[in-house]
Amino acid sequence: MRVDYHVHTRLCKHAIGEVEDYVRRALALGLDEIGFSDHNPMPGGYDDALRMGIGQLPEYAALVARARAAFPKFPIRFGIEADFHDGTEDWVRASLAPYALDYVIGSVHFLGTWGFDNPDHVAQFDRRDIFELYEEYFAKLARAAASGLFDVIGHPDVIKKFGHRPARDVEPLYRRVLGAISAAGLALDVNTSGLRKPVREIYPTLRFLQVARSLDVPVTLGSDAHEPGHVGEDFDRAVELLTAAGYNRISVFEARRRHDLPLG
Ligand code: ZN
Ligand code: FE
Ligand code: FE
Ligand code: ZN
């Protein structure tokens, strides 16, 4: 079983291509399922330039429905990548409630007002202690896990995106956040887009996955495609990494219920 559950659409204003082209790519690669997970609308002007507006959620649902109509025999999941940001939980929950989503990926992209994964703001890393930054990031990710909003935790160690590594051992941070993820019963988005970023590594790293495996935290696969050609990219490497960490199952989602199947 192989699925790509982290796929964007042009509604977020920084992805290109039609939904049918993403699906065609998944079919050409022999994937078993694709799931769209575009950036969710957020309140109060939060990162507005890089996401759909609240009024566009119906259009997003219609795009996924259009893809399903074009490929009726291929499983196409209706997901969303929702930002976790303290104070926005109720708004996000209410905004998503009317939709028959298959899964919600929860991601942390901001610490305070700093969009730390945005290349335009990478200079901020130089003003911070990297270990403290990792602590702050993983603490926020643990709150995301405990929020009850999500089914999957997105690109779990994206804080490493530009290659900043703390001098101190980060395993205690991994253990703490994975304890929260495990307690909440969430899966991890094993996300190959890190290979296309300066860090040149899958999210999350092997050590993180080994701890996750020891806690029985399930996993799913994502490319974070922002163009059709990225669908399923480097999945052989992701499967290798998962195998190295001791995984032989992958999770799929339907109507926000998880099923674990053999990883292939
Ligand atoms: Zn994006
Ligand atoms: Fe993301
Ligand atoms: Fe994404
Ligand atoms: Zn993402």
Side-chain angles (χ1 to χ4, degrees):
M1 191 79 193
R2 280 196 197 191
V3 303
D4 189 342
Y5 270 11
H6 198 140
V7 175
H8 291 274
T9 78
R10 58 179 164 69
L11 282 185
C12 68
K13 307 169 210 147
H14 61 280
I16 54 166
E18 295 303 323
V19 285
E20 291 84 357
D21 299 323
Y22 287 85
V23 178
R24 263 183 218 108
R25 183 73 187 142
L27 283 164
L29 290 171
L31 298 186
D32 298 288
E33 295 186 6
I34 190 172
F36 288 96
S37 61
D38 210 358
H39 297 286
N40 71 317
M42 288 289 283
Y46 174 104
D47 209 22
D48 259 353
L50 298 174
R51 60 189 61 250
M52 69 183 89
I54 180 75
Q56 288 177 298
L57 268 172
E59 189 181 344
Y60 177 51
L63 272 183
V64 176
R66 194 182 88 188
R68 284 173 165 166
F71 302 93
K73 285 188 287 226
F74 189 64
I76 298 173
R77 303 302 173 198
F78 178 25
I80 200 156
E81 179 180 19
D83 275 54
F84 176 77
H85 198 62
D86 302 281
T88 67
E89 296 92 330
D90 291 344
W91 192 97
V92 169
R93 187 177 287 107
S95 65
L96 300 182
Y99 296 92
L101 290 161
D102 288 310
Y103 59 90
V104 180
I105 299 177
S107 296
V108 170
H109 297 112
F110 273 76
L111 291 174
T113 57
W114 174 35
F116 64 83
D117 76 330
N118 185 332
D120 296 341
H121 306 303
V122 68
Q124 282 255 39
F125 277 95
D126 300 335
R127 279 173 241 146
R128 296 289 307 264
D129 176 89
I130 301 301
F131 185 82
E132 281 173 16
L133 207 51
Y134 272 58
E135 263 185 320
E136 193 186 327
Y137 168 77
F138 284 117
K140 187 167 181 179
L141 201 64
R143 294 197 298 282
S147 71
L149 281 171
F150 311 120
D151 306 295
V152 179
I153 289 294
H155 40 62
D157 63 352
V158 70
I159 189 73
K160 73 183 177 185
K161 178 172 179 176
F162 300 106
H164 301 85
R165 307 282 194 180
R168 280 167 63 190
D169 180 24
V170 290
E171 191 173 316
L173 306 184
Y174 294 171
R175 291 199 173 276
R176 215 173 301 150
V177 70
L178 281 163
I181 291 169
S182 166
L186 308 185
L188 300 175
D189 163 41
V190 174
N191 187 307
T192 56
S193 72
L195 292 166
R196 305 192 295 267
K197 300 295 161 22
V199 70
R200 303 237 169 263
E201 219 187 63
I202 290 169
Y203 310 119
T205 197
L206 176 62
R207 191 71 200 111
F208 191 98
L209 278 176
Q210 287 169 327
V211 176
R213 181 72 198 87
S214 75
L215 297 170
D216 270 319
V217 173
V219 291
T220 190
L221 273 174
S223 65
D224 224 327
H226 285 72
E227 57 183 85
H230 286 159
V231 170
E233 194 165 76
D234 294 313
F235 275 19
D236 287 340
R237 290 183 65 180
V239 170
E240 253 172 54
L241 180 71
L242 283 168
T243 305
Y247 279 95
N248 56 17
R249 311 205 25 109
I250 181 173
S251 297
V252 298
F253 288 86
E254 193 174 355
R256 307 201 64 176
R257 268 201 300 273
R258 198 186 86 229
H259 303 273
D260 299 331
L261 297 168
L263 175 67

